[in-house]
Amino acid sequence: MGFSEFLGNEAMVAALRGALRAERVPHAMLFTGPRGVGKFTLARMFAQAANCERLKDDFCGECATCQRIGQLADLDDLIARGLAERGESADAATVERVPLILQSHPDVWVMVPDPVRLKSPVARPVLRIGQLRAVQRAAYFQPMGRRRVFILDGVETMRADVSNVFLKILEEPPGSATLILTAPSPFNLLPTILSRCMQFHFAPLPQAEVENILKAKGTLKSGEVKLAAQLSEGSPGLASEMNVQAVVERRQAILRILEHAARGQGFSQLFAATNQLAKDRESPYEDLLADFYGLLSDLLELNAGLKSPQLRNPHLAKELQALARSVSSNWVMRAISGIDELASGARRNLNRQLGMDALAASLSPTPGASPLPR
Ligand SMILES: [Zn+2]
C-alpha cells in the first residue's frame, strides 16, 4: 500500500512526497490532465498521506484514518447516498442549500460536479455555489488529524461568477488545509485561479504501461486490451472502464458523418446520421466532441503527409486514409473550428442536434461552390 501503487507520473508523486516530508505543503494545487489518468486517485492518496497515523510522506493504507479516507476510492456509492439524502426531486434552491459533499473522514472533503437533473434546460453537472460556500466555511476549522484536504473535482465546470466565492479562499488560505483542484486542462480556467495554485500536469501514460495495468486489473477481455489502451490515449482509468465495442461504434458513426459531409451526399442522409448520434444518451456530449477532435486530428496528420503518422484511431486507418485523400486541410480546419463552436454551445446548453446539423451542413459542398478536391 502507498504511493508505490500509483502508476505513471513519478516526478509528481516525488514532489508531493517531498512537500509532505519537508512540511511545506502548498495550500492550493491544480491537477490537470486527461480524464482517467489518475488525478483524483493521486489527490485521494495525498489526503491519506497527509493524515496517515503511521507515516509522514506516504500512507500505510492500514490505519483507521487511511482506511476511512480510502473509501473515497469508490465515489459512486457516496454520490448515490448523497443524492438519496437530498431527496429525489430536488429543486434548484434545495440543491444549493443541501450541497453534495462526499466524505468518509471528517478532514477530507470531496466535491464533484453535482449530477442533479434539474428541469429545462437539463443542467449538466457543475460545481455549485452551495458546494463552494461549504468549503469556504469548513476550511477554517482546525483539522482533527494533521491536515484538512478539500478535493474539488472538475473545476472547469464552475461558472465564472461562482468562482469569485472560491477566490476568497484561495486569497487567504487557511494554514492547516490544502485545496486540490482537478481539471482536464488549465486553459479554460480563470487566470486569477491559476495564479493562486501550484500546477501539476499529468502526462498520458505510454501505451505499453496502460496495457500492463489493464492486464493486471483483468476487467477487460484479453482481445480488447490493446485496442482499449490505444483508444484511451494513455489514460488507464478511462481504458479500464471503457466499453470498447461502444467506443468503436461511436467513432465509426462520427467518421460516417464526416464522410457524408465531405462527399456532399445530401442533407437527409447526413441529418439521419447526426440524429442517430445526438440520440446516444449513453455517451456524454464531451465524449462525442472529443471523438470528433480525435478523428479530425488524424485527418490533419494524414493530410500533412507525415511518413508514419501516430493515429489516435489506428483501427480506422484505412477509412481515414481514404477520407484524407478526398478533403483539403482547409476543410479539416473548418471542421475543427465547427467542433470548437459546438463545444462552446454545449457549455451554454444549446441543442446538440441542431448544433451538429449546422456543423455537418457547413461542411458539405454547397451548390455553386467549387467541389472539394477528390
Ligand atoms: Zn495509515
Side-chain angles (χ1 to χ4, degrees), residues 95-154:
V95 169
E96 300 299 3
R97 207 181 58 241
V98 191
L100 184 66
I101 294 162
L102 313 176
Q103 253 189 315
S104 59
H105 183 281
D107 284 336
V108 183
W109 296 50
V110 175
M111 247 58 64
V112 297
D114 194 323
V116 68
R117 289 221 155 247
L118 294 174
K119 284 182 210 95
S120 66
V122 174
R124 67 195 188 93
V126 291
L127 280 174
R128 297 190 164 271
I129 196 160
Q131 291 174 300
L132 297 177
R133 289 209 174 108
V135 174
Q136 198 187 14
R137 281 194 297 270
Y140 296 92
F141 284 98
Q142 284 304 309
M144 291 185 38
R146 296 208 300 274
R147 178 164 286 274
R148 289 205 137 183
V149 180
F150 296 85
I151 305 174
L152 289 105
D153 200 32

Side-chain angles (χ1 to χ4, degrees), residues 38-84:
K39 303 186 294 294
F40 182 81
T41 301
L42 193 57
R44 185 256 301 162
M45 288 178 163
F46 174 85
Q48 284 177 296
N51 287 293
C52 175
E53 295 163 30
R54 294 179 192 162
L55 305 171
K56 200 173 158 194
D57 67 345
D58 204 343
F59 60 101
C60 71
E62 287 161 7
C63 69
T65 304
C66 275
Q67 295 226 335
R68 281 184 72 180
I69 302 173
Q71 290 172 24
L72 293 172
D74 181 16
L75 281 187
D76 291 347
D77 185 44
L78 288 167
I79 293 176
R81 258 190 285 161
L83 292 179

